[in-house]
Amino acid sequence: MSEVLQVESRALLGKQNNRRLRSDGRLPAVLYGHGKESVHLTLCEDQLNASLRHGAHVVELAGAEQGQALLQDVQWDTFQQSVLHVDLLRVVKGERVTVEIPLIMRGDAPGTHGGGVVEQLLHAIEMETVPSLIPENLQISVNELELDGSLTIEAIEGVPEGAILLVDTSQVCVQCIMPLTAPEETESGIEGVSEPEVVGRQAESEQAGDGSSNDSGK
């Protein structure tokens, strides 16, 4: 079931009016797509935040606009704490859309028992599917990932039937490697690196001594 967002028409535009909206718990949004004119809307901040927490990609609009819409772009503030603006793309039930789905690792990699570290190289996967089948996330199991081993896109689980992953299936998304270690240090610095000798230090000292003897003899 799609998350429902109550929307209202928005006549006043501009940064100042948008700030007033946000102070009242509402957010500016724009709805576009399917050859129709863009419509400026406002929506409830709490409803949107709940939809985002639930991992929703497609929402059901109610109020000034009806029908399904894709959360095409959610603009956050600098600190990723508050939503500033939302772009909504009209969708028709059954049509295919392109979305970015989070990729989550699960399980315990045997390679970590030998000192290895698991690195996740991809955290989201672009996918084409129908709105009704968009998953909250995709998963990849590391239960058989050995040291110096890797997993490709082909190992991803939870791909909906008929969906297309828009990425090379041979691309590595998770690997288990030995961590890099810094060279050990000794009291004189990094092991194997001796302190450089100061060339000419003794000669300079002797010359200074000779000069002082000559001065005293004048």
Side-chain angles (χ1 to χ4, degrees):
M1 181 178 178
S2 299
E3 299 279 330
V4 177
L5 293 183
Q6 293 286 335
V7 296
E8 299 175 1
S9 298
R10 175 166 59 105
L12 300 176
L13 308 178
K15 292 183 179 179
Q16 195 170 17
N17 290 307
N18 289 346
R19 281 195 291 267
R20 291 196 189 101
L21 280 175
R22 288 190 286 267
S23 66
D24 291 335
R26 299 196 65 79
L27 296 171
V30 61
L31 174 67
Y32 56 90
H34 277 284
K36 298 181 180 180
E37 290 186 2
S38 298
V39 179
H40 295 281
L41 303 169
T42 70
L43 49 86
C44 176
E45 182 177 16
D46 288 342
Q47 286 184 344
L48 177 69
N49 288 337
S51 298
L52 294 176
R53 285 196 303 272
H54 298 157
H57 296 277
V58 175
V59 293
E60 192 77 31
L61 301 182
E65 291 288 331
Q66 307 284 331
Q68 287 189 323
L70 178 69
L71 294 172
Q72 181 75 0
D73 184 42
V74 178
Q75 179 184 349
W76 296 82
D77 65 4
T78 304
F79 303 102
Q80 299 290 303
Q81 298 296 317
S82 302
V83 177
L84 300 179
H85 187 275
V86 182
D87 283 0
L88 300 166
L89 177 65
R90 295 183 182 94
V91 297
V92 176
K93 291 182 179 179
E95 81 167 325
R96 299 178 72 85
V97 295
T98 299
V99 291
E100 197 172 63
I101 307 298
L103 177 61
I104 297 175
M105 291 191 306
R106 63 176 181 81
D108 180 29
T112 60
H113 303 161
V117 174
V118 175
E119 287 188 343
Q120 184 172 351
L121 306 179
L122 290 178
H123 295 271
I125 305 294
E126 197 171 41
M127 181 178 69
E128 180 189 289
T129 185
V130 295
S132 60
L133 294 181
I134 296 177
E136 182 176 342
N137 57 61
L138 298 171
Q139 298 185 9
I140 187 164
S141 172
V142 297
N143 283 328
E144 298 182 5
L145 183 59
E146 300 286 351
L147 183 61
D148 295 327
S150 61
L151 299 172
T152 65
I153 298 296
E154 292 180 332
I156 290 177
E157 304 169 355
V159 180
E161 183 178 356
I164 300 174
L165 299 183
L166 303 179
V167 62
D168 185 354
T169 55
S170 64
Q171 184 173 350
V172 173
C173 51
V174 178
Q175 62 183 10
C176 183
I177 61 174
M178 286 297 291
L180 296 176
T181 57
E184 295 182 4
E185 292 190 2
T186 63
E187 292 183 1
S188 59
I190 298 177
E191 184 179 6
V193 180
S194 59
E195 183 180 358
E197 181 181 353
V198 179
V199 179
R201 180 180 295 172
Q202 183 176 358
E204 290 176 2
S205 176
E206 290 175 353
Q207 288 178 2
D210 293 343
S212 60
S213 299
N214 293 336
D215 289 342
S216 62
K218 286 184 180 180

